[in-house]
Amino acid sequence: MKDLKKSYLGLKLIATAPALLIKERLTFLCEHGPKDFEHLEKVHSARAIHLRLALLMMKPEHRNKITVVAIAPAAYITNDLCKKAYNYVSRKDFVHHLQHLCSPISTKDVNLIVLDAHPQASKVFDHAVLSPTFKIHIKNHIDRFIEE
């Protein structure tokens, strides 16, 4: 229940402990990394809520060093909050729709990639981060990030 409460507060743009910790970690990395520092942040489900809130609290020059891959996000990460955001959802998932019920943030500037569920994914609810629906996309982002 605590996680649901934190997620609800985060959707309402109320700072939560997870969001503050993420902000602190990412700010530290941006401030103490090399000048050309870039970071790939992968999040899943409710963690996307906390990351979005953390990004909102960060300096734009730090946010612009972060690329986000959000898997089955409970809140979309918009492109204006980071260098680039990729939001992957399965057609067999409803969690990402819940943000429209209580979040004041517009989702018009969202890079949303809607995927057909993998044949080996859950037949009813395809939300797991380890779902084969998302596996190749996660791998491709990591590989591309390393190559750049």
Side-chain angles (χ1 to χ4, degrees):
M1 271 320 241
K2 284 183 181 181
D3 288 342
L4 283 175
K5 182 178 179 182
K6 288 177 189 172
S7 294
Y8 176 78
L9 292 172
L11 285 171
K12 290 293 194 181
L13 304 181
I14 298 168
T16 60
L20 293 169
L21 288 170
I22 293 169
K23 175 189 177 264
E24 183 179 318
R25 177 178 55 83
L26 292 176
T27 298
F28 180 87
L29 290 172
C30 290
E31 289 177 350
H32 295 89
K35 192 171 190 141
D36 62 348
F37 173 79
E38 289 192 19
H39 179 69
L40 177 66
E41 183 80 3
K42 182 182 76 66
V43 294
H44 171 255
S45 197
R47 187 141 187 263
I49 296 170
H50 306 305
L51 175 63
R52 181 171 73 177
L53 194 52
L55 291 168
L56 283 165
M57 294 185 281
M58 291 175 65
K59 295 177 183 177
E61 60 266 25
H62 291 165
R63 295 189 323 216
N64 291 332
K65 296 179 177 191
I66 300 167
T67 298
V68 177
V69 176
I71 304 299
Y76 301 141
I77 308 297
T78 53
N79 288 318
D80 60 328
L81 291 179
C82 56
K83 180 177 180 180
K84 186 71 177 164
Y86 303 89
N87 296 272
Y88 289 93
V89 298
S90 169
R91 292 190 193 282
K92 290 187 178 178
D93 187 7
F94 64 86
V95 171
H96 61 104
H97 294 295
L98 299 177
Q99 67 187 309
H100 302 295
L101 299 175
C102 57
S103 180
I105 296 207
S106 169
T107 58
K108 66 179 177 167
D109 185 28
V110 172
N111 183 15
L112 180 63
I113 302 107
V114 181
L115 303 170
D116 290 325
H118 188 279
Q120 295 175 336
S122 170
K123 302 295 181 212
V124 179
F125 182 53
D126 187 20
H127 182 74
V129 69
L130 296 177
S131 167
T133 301
F134 306 114
K135 185 176 182 176
I136 190 66
H137 302 285
I138 295 169
K139 182 185 181 316
N140 288 344
H141 278 288
I142 293 170
D143 289 347
R144 260 197 322 262
F145 186 80
I146 291 170
E147 288 172 12
E148 294 175 0

